[in-house]
Amino acid sequence: MISRAFQSGKKLIYLYSGLGPITQILSQVGNILAILYGAYQVALGNMEFTALLMFLMYFSYFSSATTAIASAVGQFQQALVGVQRIDEFMAVPEEENAEKTGVLKLADAPVVVFDEVYHQYPPEQKHSLSEVSFAVPAKKITALVGESGGGKTTCLGLMERFFMPIGGKITIDGHNLSDLDISELRERVAFVEQEPCILTGTIRDNLKLGRKTSTDDDMIFVLTQVGLSTTGIGQENLLDLYVGESGLSLSGGQKQRIALARALIRDPKLLLMDEPTSNLDGLDEEEVAELIRNRFQDTTVVYSAHRLSLILEADWIVVIKNGVVLDKGKHSDLLNRCEYYRRLIEAQAHGKVEL
Ligand SMILES: Nc1ncnc2c1ncn2[C@@H]1O[C@H](COP(=O)(O)OP(=O)(O)OP(=O)(O)O)[C@@H](O)[C@H]1O
C-alpha cells in the first residue's frame, strides 16, 4: 500500500512539474506575440495605440484566468490522489482483534517470558532470533544488551505484537501473549521507539496521542518530569508550542523526551523502549535513566540499551548476540562470567564504540 501511495505521489509530482511550467510558458509566449502583433498593426496604421493598450489589458486578464484554471485542475488532481490514498488506508484490514482471544487482562505489571522463541523476517532465509529464552521480572527494569543487529529490537517488537514468533512462545503472566486482547495490549503496553514518531502539531496534540483524556495539568506534570521545560523549551505556553512538520523544530533529545512523556501519561503496565537515550548525551542521558528508574516503579520495563548509564540502571540484563541469548543475570555476575559482556562494557566505558 505504501508503494501505491508513493506511485500516486509520483504521478502528482509529474503532473505539477509538467502542468505548471507549460501554462506559464504558453501564457508568456501569448503575451509577447500579442504585443508584437499589436505593435505591428499600430505601425501599419490599422490600429490605434489606445486600442492596443485596451487589447493588451484584456489579453492579460484572459491569460491570468487560463493560468488559474490550470492551477485549479492541478489542485483537483491533488484532491483525487488524496481521496485515493484515504481509500487505500481505509481498505487496510484492522489489526487481528480480540474476538478470537480476548481473555487476558493486564491489571498489574506482568512477568514476560520468552520460551525458545524463533523469529524470521520474511523473505529473509536467516532467523533473526533462534531459541531465545529469558524472563522479564515484574516491576523491574530489564535491559537487552548486545551489538547492533543482535535482535534486541526484534524482541521488543514481539512483545508489542508487531509480529509473531515462528516458533516457541511468549507468555505474559503465564498466558500466551496472543491471548491478550489487542486493544488491552495497545492500552496497557507503551512502546518508545528509537526514532520517536512526532505528530505535526502542538506538544498537546502529541501528548493526547498517549491518552486522549489527559488534562493540561497532567500534561504539564509529565513534561516537567521529563525535564522538557529545562531543555530549551520555555514552560510558558509549552503545550501550545507548534513542533513543526513531524517535530522538525525539535532536537533529537527533545523528541525522545516527548516520547517518554507520552509513555508516562499512559501509565503503562509494560513499558518497552528501544534505546530511549540514543539521542541524548552526558548528563541528560543519566537524568533520563534515573527518571525511568524513579517514575516507572510499578511498571515492568524492558529496554534495549547501548549506553552504560542505562545498562547500569537495569536490575536484570539479557545479553544477545546474533539472535541468540548468550547469558542473562545481574551486571556484576555477568562481568565475572560473560566474556562478551565484559568486552562490551569495557569498550563502552572507554568510549571506544557505541554498542
Ligand atoms: N524489517 C526487517 N527485515 C529484514 N531483516 C530485519 C528487519 N529488521 C531487522 N532485521 C534483521 O534482524 C536482525 C536483528 O535486528 P534487530 O533490529 O532486532 O537488532 P538490534 O539488536 O535491535 O540492532 P540495533 O541495536 O542496531 O537496533 C538483524 O540481522 C537485522 O538485519
Side-chain angles (χ1 to χ4, degrees):
M1 188 193 64
I2 289 171
S3 76
R4 283 208 304 277
F6 179 69
Q7 290 305 332
S8 320
K10 247 174 43 179
K11 271 190 228 159
L12 196 65
I13 290 166
Y14 287 144
L15 186 78
Y16 258 131
S17 55
L19 202 61
I22 288 170
T23 51
Q24 288 287 337
I25 290 167
L26 286 179
S27 149
Q28 296 309 325
V29 169
N31 279 337
I32 292 167
L33 287 178
I35 291 167
L36 288 177
Y37 180 73
Y40 179 63
Q41 292 300 325
V42 170
L44 289 180
N46 294 339
M47 189 191 263
E48 285 186 19
F49 185 66
T50 47
L52 172 65
L53 285 181
M54 291 293 286
F55 172 73
L56 289 178
M57 196 176 77
Y58 285 117
F59 190 82
S60 86
Y61 287 152
F62 173 76
S63 61
S64 51
T66 49
T67 311
I69 289 170
S71 143
V73 169
Q75 281 170 8
F76 181 65
Q77 291 285 351
Q78 188 178 22
L80 283 183
V81 172
V83 168
Q84 189 186 337
R85 282 195 207 162
I86 290 168
D87 283 348
E88 284 167 0
F89 277 111
M90 297 303 274
V92 173
E94 270 190 36
E95 234 174 341
E96 178 197 338
N97 215 344
E99 286 164 40
K100 195 176 118 217
T101 54
V103 281
L104 182 60
K105 297 273 174 198
L106 265 192
D108 209 351
V111 173
V112 183
V113 176
F114 274 56
D115 187 6
E116 300 194 348
V117 168
Y118 286 79
H119 178 265
Q120 191 172 349
Y121 288 98
E124 303 288 324
Q125 300 298 316
K126 207 177 121 238
H127 284 145
S128 51
L129 298 180
S130 300
E131 218 184 330
V132 164
S133 297
F134 63 87
V136 169
K139 299 190 185 180
K140 300 272 183 225
I141 298 177
T142 299
L144 308 177
V145 176
E147 284 162 300
S148 189
K152 304 179 295 292
T153 306
T154 306
C155 289
L156 294 171
L158 283 165
M159 283 184 251
E160 176 69 7
R161 250 169 70 183
F162 284 150
F163 32 75
M164 303 297 273
I166 57 164
K169 66 175 182 210
I170 302 168
T171 59
I172 189 154
D173 281 341
H175 300 271
N176 202 314
L177 181 65
S178 54
D179 287 344
L180 190 70
D181 183 303
I182 197 83
S183 50
E184 176 82 357
L185 184 86
R186 297 286 172 256
E187 174 84 24
R188 305 287 187 170
V189 180
F191 190 94
V192 177
E193 314 96 322
Q194 209 172 100
E195 293 300 330
C197 169
I198 302 292
L199 282 186
T200 306
T202 61
I203 291 193
R204 182 186 281 101
D205 297 332
N206 273 281
L207 292 183
K208 288 257 177 186
L209 202 63
R211 185 158 53 88
K212 266 191 253 168
T213 52
S214 41
T215 64
D216 281 8
D217 284 348
D218 297 336
M219 289 187 261
I220 291 289
F221 182 66
V222 292
L223 287 174
T224 310
Q225 282 201 309
V226 298
L228 256 184
S229 48
T230 56
T231 56
I233 301 183
Q235 182 114 33
E236 215 176 307
N237 303 327
L238 191 57
L239 293 178
D240 292 317
L241 190 89
Y242 181 70
V243 297
E245 179 114 15
S246 307
L248 200 66
S249 61
L250 300 172
S251 70
Q254 287 168 339
K255 286 185 197 170
Q256 263 179 339
R257 284 169 194 269
I258 288 185
L260 263 181
R262 202 155 57 193
L264 269 172
I265 214 159
R266 287 180 58 183
D267 199 13
K269 298 296 167 206
L270 174 62
L271 174 63
L272 309 170
M273 291 184 275
D274 199 0
E275 189 43 50
T277 59
S278 60
N279 292 318
L280 304 175
D281 41 37
L283 281 176
D284 277 358
E285 186 193 323
E286 280 172 25
E287 197 185 299
V288 168
E290 208 179 302
L291 164 83
I292 294 168
R293 155 72 58 204
N294 295 334
R295 185 54 186 81
F296 291 104
Q297 285 180 350
D298 291 328
T299 304
T300 301
V301 177
V302 191
Y303 52 60
S304 69
H306 290 237
R307 307 280 190 88
L308 204 53
S309 52
L310 265 194
I311 299 173
L312 296 180
E313 204 62 61
D315 303 295
W316 192 246
I317 293 161
V318 180
V319 186
I320 303 182
K321 186 184 179 192
N322 295 334
V324 173
V325 172
L326 285 192
D327 206 338
K328 54 216 159 193
K330 293 190 170 167
H331 172 71
S332 51
D333 296 336
L334 290 172
L335 270 188
N336 283 332
R337 66 168 188 246
C338 180
E339 173 65 22
Y340 175 71
Y341 181 74
R342 190 166 49 245
R343 278 196 284 116
L344 288 178
I345 294 297
E346 277 169 8
Q348 255 293 293
H350 294 116
K352 280 189 202 150
V353 288
E354 183 93 326
L355 300 185

Short mmCIF file of all heavy atoms in Angstrom, two decimals, residues 121-122 124 126-129 146-155 194 274 304 306 320 355, ligand 1:
data_model
loop_
_atom_site.label_atom_id
_atom_site.label_comp_id
_atom_site.label_asym_id
_atom_site.label_seq_id
_atom_site.Cartn_x
_atom_site.Cartn_y
_atom_site.Cartn_z
N TYR A 121 12.31 -12.56 9.60
CA TYR A 121 11.65 -11.51 8.83
C TYR A 121 11.47 -12.01 7.40
O TYR A 121 12.48 -12.24 6.72
CB TYR A 121 12.49 -10.23 8.78
CG TYR A 121 12.54 -9.47 10.08
CD1 TYR A 121 13.63 -9.62 10.95
CD2 TYR A 121 11.53 -8.60 10.44
CE1 TYR A 121 13.69 -8.91 12.14
CE2 TYR A 121 11.58 -7.89 11.64
CZ TYR A 121 12.66 -8.05 12.47
OH TYR A 121 12.72 -7.37 13.65
N PRO A 122 10.24 -12.20 6.94
CA PRO A 122 10.09 -12.61 5.54
C PRO A 122 10.59 -11.50 4.63
O PRO A 122 10.42 -10.33 4.97
CB PRO A 122 8.58 -12.81 5.38
CG PRO A 122 7.94 -12.08 6.51
CD PRO A 122 8.97 -11.96 7.60
N GLU A 124 13.47 -13.06 4.43
CA GLU A 124 14.84 -13.48 4.81
C GLU A 124 14.89 -14.98 5.06
O GLU A 124 13.91 -15.57 5.53
CB GLU A 124 15.27 -12.75 6.09
CG GLU A 124 15.24 -11.23 6.00
CD GLU A 124 16.34 -10.68 5.13
OE1 GLU A 124 17.44 -11.25 5.15
OE2 GLU A 124 16.07 -9.71 4.40
N LYS A 126 17.44 -16.25 6.91
CA LYS A 126 18.11 -16.43 8.21
C LYS A 126 17.14 -16.11 9.36
O LYS A 126 16.31 -15.21 9.23
CB LYS A 126 19.28 -15.44 8.23
CG LYS A 126 20.43 -15.83 9.09
CD LYS A 126 21.53 -14.78 8.96
CE LYS A 126 21.83 -14.18 10.29
NZ LYS A 126 21.74 -12.87 10.60
N HIS A 127 17.28 -16.83 10.47
CA HIS A 127 16.49 -16.48 11.66
C HIS A 127 17.06 -15.21 12.29
O HIS A 127 18.28 -15.10 12.45
CB HIS A 127 16.57 -17.60 12.70
CG HIS A 127 15.73 -18.78 12.34
ND1 HIS A 127 16.09 -20.07 12.61
CD2 HIS A 127 14.54 -18.85 11.72
CE1 HIS A 127 15.15 -20.90 12.17
NE2 HIS A 127 14.20 -20.17 11.62
N SER A 128 16.19 -14.28 12.65
CA SER A 128 16.68 -13.11 13.39
C SER A 128 16.80 -13.46 14.87
O SER A 128 17.62 -12.88 15.58
CB SER A 128 15.73 -11.93 13.20
OG SER A 128 14.42 -12.32 13.48
N LEU A 129 16.00 -14.42 15.33
CA LEU A 129 16.13 -14.93 16.70
C LEU A 129 16.06 -16.46 16.64
O LEU A 129 15.25 -17.01 15.90
CB LEU A 129 14.99 -14.45 17.61
CG LEU A 129 14.83 -12.95 17.86
CD1 LEU A 129 13.63 -12.71 18.78
CD2 LEU A 129 16.08 -12.34 18.49
N GLY A 146 23.67 -5.90 23.63
CA GLY A 146 24.42 -6.64 22.62
C GLY A 146 24.72 -5.73 21.45
O GLY A 146 24.15 -4.63 21.35
N GLU A 147 25.58 -6.21 20.57
CA GLU A 147 25.96 -5.36 19.42
C GLU A 147 24.78 -5.17 18.48
O GLU A 147 23.81 -5.94 18.51
CB GLU A 147 27.11 -6.03 18.66
CG GLU A 147 28.44 -5.88 19.37
CD GLU A 147 29.44 -6.88 18.85
OE1 GLU A 147 29.19 -8.08 18.95
OE2 GLU A 147 30.48 -6.43 18.33
N SER A 148 24.92 -4.17 17.63
CA SER A 148 23.90 -3.84 16.66
C SER A 148 23.57 -5.06 15.79
O SER A 148 24.47 -5.80 15.38
CB SER A 148 24.43 -2.70 15.80
OG SER A 148 23.42 -2.23 15.00
N GLY A 149 22.28 -5.26 15.54
CA GLY A 149 21.85 -6.37 14.69
C GLY A 149 21.70 -7.68 15.45
O GLY A 149 21.38 -8.71 14.87
N GLY A 150 21.88 -7.64 16.78
CA GLY A 150 21.80 -8.87 17.58
C GLY A 150 20.39 -9.41 17.73
O GLY A 150 20.19 -10.61 17.90
N GLY A 151 19.39 -8.52 17.71
CA GLY A 151 18.00 -8.99 17.83
C GLY A 151 17.22 -8.30 18.95
O GLY A 151 16.11 -8.73 19.28
N LYS A 152 17.77 -7.23 19.52
CA LYS A 152 17.10 -6.56 20.64
C LYS A 152 15.76 -5.96 20.23
O LYS A 152 14.74 -6.17 20.87
CB LYS A 152 18.03 -5.46 21.20
CG LYS A 152 19.39 -5.99 21.62
CD LYS A 152 20.29 -4.90 22.15
CE LYS A 152 20.67 -3.85 21.13
NZ LYS A 152 21.55 -4.36 20.05
N THR A 153 15.78 -5.19 19.11
CA THR A 153 14.54 -4.55 18.65
C THR A 153 13.50 -5.60 18.28
O THR A 153 12.30 -5.42 18.52
CB THR A 153 14.84 -3.65 17.43
OG1 THR A 153 15.89 -2.76 17.79
CG2 THR A 153 13.63 -2.87 16.99
N THR A 154 13.97 -6.71 17.72
CA THR A 154 13.04 -7.78 17.35
C THR A 154 12.33 -8.32 18.59
O THR A 154 11.12 -8.55 18.56
CB THR A 154 13.81 -8.90 16.61
OG1 THR A 154 14.53 -8.31 15.52
CG2 THR A 154 12.88 -9.96 16.08
N CYS A 155 13.08 -8.50 19.68
CA CYS A 155 12.45 -8.98 20.93
C CYS A 155 11.37 -7.99 21.39
O CYS A 155 10.27 -8.39 21.78
CB CYS A 155 13.50 -9.12 22.04
SG CYS A 155 14.62 -10.49 21.78
N GLN A 194 13.11 4.10 18.96
CA GLN A 194 14.43 4.74 18.91
C GLN A 194 14.32 6.11 18.22
O GLN A 194 14.91 7.07 18.65
CB GLN A 194 15.38 3.84 18.13
CG GLN A 194 16.80 4.00 18.57
CD GLN A 194 17.68 2.95 17.92
OE1 GLN A 194 18.33 3.27 16.95
NE2 GLN A 194 17.70 1.74 18.43
N ASP A 274 13.06 1.25 22.93
CA ASP A 274 14.18 0.89 22.06
C ASP A 274 15.23 1.98 22.17
O ASP A 274 15.09 3.05 21.58
CB ASP A 274 13.66 0.75 20.61
CG ASP A 274 14.63 -0.04 19.76
OD1 ASP A 274 15.67 -0.46 20.29
OD2 ASP A 274 14.32 -0.24 18.57
N SER A 304 16.13 -1.81 25.18
CA SER A 304 17.41 -2.18 24.58
C SER A 304 18.37 -1.07 24.97
O SER A 304 18.01 0.10 24.95
CB SER A 304 17.28 -2.30 23.07
OG SER A 304 17.09 -1.04 22.49
N HIS A 306 22.27 0.59 24.75
CA HIS A 306 23.63 0.67 24.19
C HIS A 306 24.54 1.42 25.17
O HIS A 306 25.72 1.19 25.19
CB HIS A 306 23.61 1.47 22.88
CG HIS A 306 22.95 0.75 21.75
ND1 HIS A 306 23.58 0.50 20.57
CD2 HIS A 306 21.72 0.24 21.63
CE1 HIS A 306 22.76 -0.15 19.76
NE2 HIS A 306 21.62 -0.30 20.39
N ILE A 320 22.44 -10.49 24.20
CA ILE A 320 22.02 -11.11 22.93
C ILE A 320 23.09 -10.87 21.86
O ILE A 320 23.54 -9.73 21.69
CB ILE A 320 20.68 -10.51 22.44
CG1 ILE A 320 19.61 -10.68 23.51
CG2 ILE A 320 20.22 -11.17 21.14
CD1 ILE A 320 18.25 -10.18 23.11
N LEU A 355 27.64 0.53 21.35
CA LEU A 355 27.26 -0.89 21.18
C LEU A 355 26.19 -1.07 20.12
O LEU A 355 25.30 -0.27 20.00
CB LEU A 355 26.71 -1.45 22.50
CG LEU A 355 27.61 -1.44 23.71
CD1 LEU A 355 26.90 -2.14 24.85
CD2 LEU A 355 28.93 -2.08 23.44
N1 LIG B 1 12.44 -5.40 8.78
C1 LIG B 1 13.44 -6.26 8.68
N2 LIG B 1 13.56 -7.05 7.58
C2 LIG B 1 14.57 -7.95 7.45
N3 LIG B 1 15.53 -8.13 8.40
C3 LIG B 1 15.46 -7.37 9.51
C4 LIG B 1 14.43 -6.39 9.70
N4 LIG B 1 14.64 -5.79 10.89
C5 LIG B 1 15.74 -6.35 11.41
N5 LIG B 1 16.23 -7.30 10.59
C6 LIG B 1 17.40 -8.16 10.83
O1 LIG B 1 17.15 -8.90 12.02
C7 LIG B 1 18.33 -8.97 12.81
C8 LIG B 1 18.06 -8.39 14.19
O2 LIG B 1 17.80 -6.99 14.04
P1 LIG B 1 17.38 -6.07 15.26
O3 LIG B 1 16.96 -4.75 14.70
O4 LIG B 1 16.40 -6.79 16.10
O5 LIG B 1 18.77 -5.92 16.03
P2 LIG B 1 19.15 -4.90 17.20
O6 LIG B 1 19.97 -5.68 18.17
O7 LIG B 1 17.94 -4.24 17.73
O8 LIG B 1 20.05 -3.84 16.44
P3 LIG B 1 20.21 -2.27 16.78
O9 LIG B 1 20.93 -2.22 18.08
O10 LIG B 1 21.06 -1.77 15.65
O11 LIG B 1 18.85 -1.66 16.81
C9 LIG B 1 19.42 -8.23 12.05
O12 LIG B 1 20.16 -9.19 11.33
C10 LIG B 1 18.66 -7.33 11.11
O13 LIG B 1 19.39 -7.12 9.94
#
